Amino acid sequence: MRWEGNRQSDNVEDRRAGGGGGGGFGIGGKSIGIGTIVIALLAWGVFGINPLTTIGVLGGAGSQVSQPAPGQAPPANDQAAAFVSTVLASTEDAWTQIFRQGGAQYREPRLVLFRGATRTACGMGQSAMGPFYCPADQTVYLDMEFFETLQRQLNAPGEFARAYVIAHEVGHHVQTLLGTTGKVDSLRGRVSERENNALSVRMELQADCFAGIWANKSQQAKNWLEQGDLESAMNAAARIGDDHLQRQQTGMVRPDTFTHGSSAQRQRWFAQGFKTGSVQACDTFNAQSL
């Protein structure tokens, strides 16, 4: 992936110097430890709707969390942070163009780099949750050590696989701007667990499709993909499919508990976005077949 020399985003905030925040955090008087967080992460997949939702932080608790003072920009000589800033800038360029063509204005998200733990408008975020997006403050949160997990534990190496992670979370931001997140959230609590899981799957697959749109637009603008890059993103999509994770963890697959989609579905919708470059083609909510 030929990303060096491209524009970097000004919307990246570096909180890594602040360090972590202990081994757990309180919710309604209870302490949630790293073990519980990891279980939530494994149960719900890796890239997706804020895992804080899984363990009940969203809702009342999130609104009570005070926000820290804005952090600083990443050091100019930090190559890993430069990569993240460059990918984020490319999502800004792509979605600004798409929204403008639709007669709307794109509101850019912020991306916070942290280490260990950090406060968010959705509650306390932990690195063990993996990357996540908080709609309450329209910010993507990323502990870059997750990239090592992606490569070593999930066997999904490659810079474009990492870019896919960022683009997927930005896809959730697009869903917030389009009003999709609000509509889905309004249904939660009024439907069964099975129906709630099905809604989550459609949300996640649409975010995958939006990541594919970004890949399409950024490639057209920059011609920065190299041989094997697209395959690395498709491999990452397969590695975090619910069926693949469940089979690894328990040896069993339970489709009714899927919250992110199967490996084949995640690959299909990323490919759909990349092939068409069309938001309309990413309507997972009205698709007859996922």
Side-chain angles (χ1 to χ4, degrees):
M1 183 177 178
R2 298 182 293 270
W3 61 270
E4 294 92 340
N6 285 283
R7 182 180 77 84
Q8 296 184 28
S9 175
D10 295 325
N11 291 313
V12 177
E13 179 183 333
D14 192 352
R15 296 183 191 169
R16 290 173 295 174
F25 55 94
I27 302 173
K30 297 180 180 180
S31 177
I32 305 298
I34 291 296
T36 302
I37 294 170
V38 172
I39 290 172
L41 172 62
L42 294 178
W44 285 68
V46 180
F47 317 141
I49 297 174
N50 189 347
L52 295 169
T53 307
T54 312
I55 51 179
V57 177
L58 286 179
S63 61
Q64 300 171 7
V65 178
S66 60
Q67 290 301 293
Q72 59 188 4
N77 62 348
D78 188 326
Q79 188 80 346
F83 171 78
V84 172
S85 299
T86 301
V87 172
L88 184 63
S90 71
T91 68
E92 294 166 353
D93 295 342
W95 287 109
T96 294
Q97 176 191 2
I98 293 168
F99 271 60
R100 184 183 297 123
Q101 290 173 345
Q105 183 175 358
Y106 179 63
R107 186 163 61 248
E108 298 172 352
R110 291 193 61 75
L111 189 151
V112 169
L113 300 174
F114 72 99
R115 182 177 291 116
T118 192
R119 292 182 180 271
T120 83
C122 296
M124 186 68 75
Q126 294 271 3
S127 60
M129 298 170 179
F132 63 90
Y133 170 73
C134 173
D137 56 21
Q138 299 190 6
T139 301
V140 174
Y141 291 88
L142 172 65
D143 185 330
M144 286 193 292
E145 289 187 7
F146 175 76
F147 289 153
E148 292 302 313
T149 300
L150 189 68
Q151 176 172 336
R152 299 180 185 277
Q153 297 183 25
L154 297 177
N155 197 23
E159 287 181 331
F160 201 62
R162 300 179 178 191
Y164 159 61
V165 172
I166 298 168
H168 175 96
E169 298 306 330
V170 172
H172 285 307
H173 176 65
V174 173
Q175 289 174 320
T176 296
L177 298 183
L178 295 178
T180 306
T181 302
K183 291 178 182 178
V184 170
D185 285 347
S186 69
L187 295 174
R188 299 188 189 278
R190 296 194 286 136
V191 297
S192 68
E193 181 179 356
R194 182 189 295 265
E195 291 170 320
N196 195 48
N197 289 345
L199 284 172
S200 293
V201 167
R202 292 180 186 272
M203 282 283 286
E204 295 304 322
L205 295 181
Q206 186 176 66
D208 281 334
C209 193
F210 285 170
I213 290 178
W214 157 78
N216 173 298
K217 300 300 182 184
S218 66
Q219 174 63 2
Q220 286 185 17
K222 306 178 188 301
N223 191 31
W224 59 358
L225 294 186
E226 298 178 290
Q227 185 175 2
D229 282 344
L230 192 59
E231 289 78 7
S232 72
M234 293 288 282
N235 175 59
R239 294 289 176 177
I240 47 81
D242 283 326
D243 54 341
H244 180 77
L245 289 173
Q246 287 184 357
R247 192 176 292 109
Q248 276 194 323
Q249 294 151 23
T250 67
M252 298 175 59
V253 175
R254 296 180 55 197
D256 61 312
T257 65
F258 286 1
T259 56
H260 291 66
S262 68
S263 296
Q265 288 171 332
R266 302 201 73 163
Q267 288 182 314
R268 175 196 167 190
W269 283 99
F270 176 82
Q272 171 89 343
F274 182 76
K275 179 180 178 180
T276 66
S278 167
V279 173
Q280 290 73 23
C282 292
D283 185 3
T284 57
F285 292 92
N286 289 307
Q288 295 297 314
S289 173
L290 294 178

